[in-house]
Amino acid sequence: MAENKAKDLAGNEAIAQAKNIRMTAMKVRRVVDMVRGQDVEQALDTLRFAPYAAAEPVFKCVASAAANARNNKKLNGQLVITEAYVDEGPTLKRFRPRAQGRAYRIRKRTSHITIVVSETAGVAQKGRTR
């Protein structure tokens, strides 16, 4: 049974999930590792110019988490990616004919991307001017 991860969040955190992305989790993890811990604006700039196909769904998920924080949680300060991880999704199994009447299984793997952003007090205070 699926769990509701949004219930476990603190008041200054927002979450976004992209499920059943048609890329292997290993390829998406390479991109997610680049942006973990960065602030949202810097992460979006990094993903916009990253030379990986997995950068597009990760970009959408980070942008969605930032939009959730601003619209649903009313967080207006500096947003930082505090958690970012990729889980394996269901695998689509297909078969190709091979020699001598055999069949070869092709696995089309999927992944679930989860991004959690939070408004940190130290970073939010640093951005303000008197």
Side-chain angles (χ1 to χ4, degrees):
M1 174 156 292
E3 59 192 56
N4 189 355
K5 294 179 177 145
K7 286 183 178 178
D8 300 333
L9 293 178
N12 65 341
E13 292 182 335
I15 191 169
Q17 293 179 320
K19 294 191 172 192
N20 299 322
I21 302 299
R22 269 286 294 121
M23 288 181 196
T24 65
M26 184 181 262
K27 292 178 184 177
V28 180
R29 280 187 193 118
R30 176 176 25 178
V31 176
V32 167
D33 290 341
M34 292 190 322
V35 297
R36 187 180 292 117
Q38 292 183 353
D39 67 72
V40 170
E41 298 304 321
Q42 182 181 0
L44 291 175
D45 288 339
T46 302
L47 292 169
R48 189 172 289 123
F49 299 108
Y52 302 109
E56 182 184 355
V58 174
F59 178 90
K60 288 182 178 182
C61 196
V62 170
S64 177
N68 289 342
R70 291 192 176 97
N71 294 322
N72 299 343
K73 296 284 186 116
K74 307 295 187 225
L75 303 176
N76 294 322
Q78 188 79 18
L79 296 174
V80 176
I81 299 174
T82 54
E83 287 184 54
Y85 54 91
V86 180
D87 297 325
E88 288 186 11
T91 300
L92 305 174
K93 294 164 184 84
R94 302 292 181 260
F95 293 93
R96 295 285 296 169
R98 302 303 282 181
Q100 298 179 4
R102 293 184 174 90
Y104 179 75
R105 178 180 285 182
I106 294 178
R107 294 171 202 88
K108 298 187 176 217
R109 299 179 187 267
T110 63
S111 56
H112 303 316
I113 305 168
T114 304
I115 305 288
V116 178
V117 297
S118 70
E119 180 182 41
T120 56
V123 177
Q125 294 295 328
K126 192 185 297 183
R128 294 184 183 164
T129 58
R130 292 185 190 202

